[in-house]
């Protein structure tokens, strides 16, 4: 008889680089983006509120000359950074493969090509702390959108928000011990119910922590694991392949 703790593999990628490796190391890791998707709830998980609400902001320019595009974008982003100094609850970051890093200047601002020819784009992240026990995130979303709309683009540069809100979490691995404790509690409950004639072989808890956004506020943390319940009289168990 086999019992399986179900879990899915959440998107969790690590920084592959922004500019050179040395430049990338200058950025302090702040938090990870927690994506939302339709998932099957894992058998055992820990639920916590996310730390920050975030929205994506695109600063783009379609001036013909690349050097002019970059100047227009950097000037616009500088205006956003200057504006953020007046807000205690709003900060500007960049998303590098799912990791959020604070943006302190435009010196290492990564640009990418836009969807149209002769267009350059800077992808930014606006974030604000999520208050405890919040019931409606819409005021937070509106505040971030209003912040973005206050800055007028330099030259042909524009500032636009994209997509819906999501959340980020600071140091999700801090919850690993709590998740493992929950798994062990489940295993103990099963063995206590079945009695001394059975024992459990538990695998997977040394795997990577996973996390998933469930409702734009809360996050579940889990480790995909499984365990097999066998009679104590059985001395040899063949692994599943």
């Amino acid at each position: 008889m086999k019992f399986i703790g179900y879990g899915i593999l959440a998107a969790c990628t690590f920084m592959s680089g922004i500019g050179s490796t040395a430049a990338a190391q200058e950025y302090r890791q702040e938090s990870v983006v927690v994506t939302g998707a339709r998932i099957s709830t894992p058998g055992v998980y820990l639920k916590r509120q996310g730390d920050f609400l975030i929205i994506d902001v695109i600063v783009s320019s379609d001036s013909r000359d690349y050097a002019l595009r970059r100047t227009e974008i950097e000037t616009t982003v500088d205006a956003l950074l200057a504006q953020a100094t007046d807000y205690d609850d709003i900060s500007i970051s960049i998303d590098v493969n799912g990791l959020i890093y604070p943006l302190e200047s435009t010196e290492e601002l990564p640009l990418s090509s836009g969807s149209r020819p002769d267009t350059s784009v800077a992808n930014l992240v606006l974030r604000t702390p999520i208050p405890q026990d919040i019931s409606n995130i819409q005021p937070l979303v509106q505040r971030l959108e209003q912040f973005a709309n206050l800055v007028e683009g330099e030259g042909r540069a524009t500032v636009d928000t994209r997509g819906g809100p999501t959340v980020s979490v600071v140091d999700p691995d801090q919850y690993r011990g709590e998740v493992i404790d929950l798994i062990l509690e489940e295993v103990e409950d099963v063995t206590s119910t079945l009695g001394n004639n059975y024992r459990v072989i538990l695998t997977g808890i040394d795997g990577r922590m996973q996390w998933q956004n469930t409702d734009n506020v809360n996050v579940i943390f889990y480790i995909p694991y499984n365990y097999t319940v066998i009679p104590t009289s059985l001395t040899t168990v063949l692994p599943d392949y």
Side-chain angles (χ1 to χ4, degrees):
M1 177 169 51
K2 175 174 287 188
F3 295 82
I4 299 177
Y6 292 98
I8 67 163
L9 182 64
C12 173
T13 52
F14 294 90
M15 189 171 85
S16 59
I18 42 178
S20 65
T21 301
Q25 292 174 346
E26 294 176 0
Y27 285 83
R28 179 171 57 88
Q29 179 178 339
E30 187 69 19
S31 57
V32 298
V33 176
V34 182
T35 59
R38 185 176 299 175
I39 65 171
S40 298
T41 304
V44 172
Y45 61 87
L46 178 70
K47 188 175 183 179
R48 290 288 184 269
Q49 182 175 287
D51 295 312
F52 294 94
L53 183 77
I54 63 177
I55 63 171
D56 293 328
V57 171
I58 298 176
V59 180
S60 62
S61 172
D62 61 357
S63 291
R64 183 63 61 88
D65 181 67
Y66 174 78
L68 179 58
R69 294 199 301 273
R70 171 169 279 279
T71 297
E72 291 176 342
I73 290 174
E74 289 181 345
T75 301
T76 302
V77 174
D78 281 334
L80 286 167
L81 290 171
Q83 179 174 274
T85 60
D86 296 329
Y87 290 77
D88 294 332
D89 60 339
I90 294 179
S91 59
I92 301 173
S93 303
I94 55 175
D95 179 347
V96 182
N97 294 333
L99 297 181
I100 300 296
Y101 295 84
L103 181 65
E104 298 178 355
S105 74
T106 56
E107 182 177 353
E108 294 292 341
L109 180 67
L111 297 186
S112 57
S113 299
S115 58
R116 302 188 308 273
D118 297 330
T119 302
S120 296
V121 171
N123 295 294
L124 307 178
V125 173
L126 294 186
R127 70 173 198 169
T128 188
I130 301 176
Q132 289 296 318
D133 302 319
I134 187 172
S135 59
N136 181 14
I137 65 168
Q138 198 55 38
L140 297 181
V141 177
Q142 292 175 349
R143 181 166 172 77
L144 292 176
E145 291 176 341
Q146 290 169 357
F147 175 93
N149 292 332
L150 288 175
V151 169
E152 184 175 349
E154 174 74 13
R156 294 187 61 82
T158 59
V159 181
D160 301 288
T161 58
R162 178 182 64 181
T166 186
V167 299
S168 66
V169 174
V170 177
D171 186 21
D173 280 328
Q174 66 179 296
Y175 301 113
R176 182 179 184 86
E178 292 182 73
V179 173
I180 291 177
D181 287 343
L182 290 173
I183 294 173
L184 295 179
E185 286 177 13
E186 183 195 34
V187 171
E188 184 177 353
D189 288 343
V190 171
T191 53
S192 296
T193 300
L194 293 176
N196 296 330
N197 291 327
Y198 294 90
R199 61 188 177 95
V200 166
I201 298 177
L202 174 64
T203 60
I205 62 171
D206 58 337
R208 178 177 294 171
M209 271 268 292
Q210 309 294 334
W211 44 85
Q212 193 75 32
N213 180 11
T214 59
D215 55 12
N216 285 331
V217 175
N218 295 301
V219 178
I220 60 173
F221 302 89
Y222 57 94
I223 301 173
Y225 69 96
N226 67 77
Y227 57 87
T228 302
V229 179
I230 63 172
T232 53
S233 59
L234 188 61
T235 58
T236 302
V237 179
L238 295 178
D240 291 332
Y241 293 103

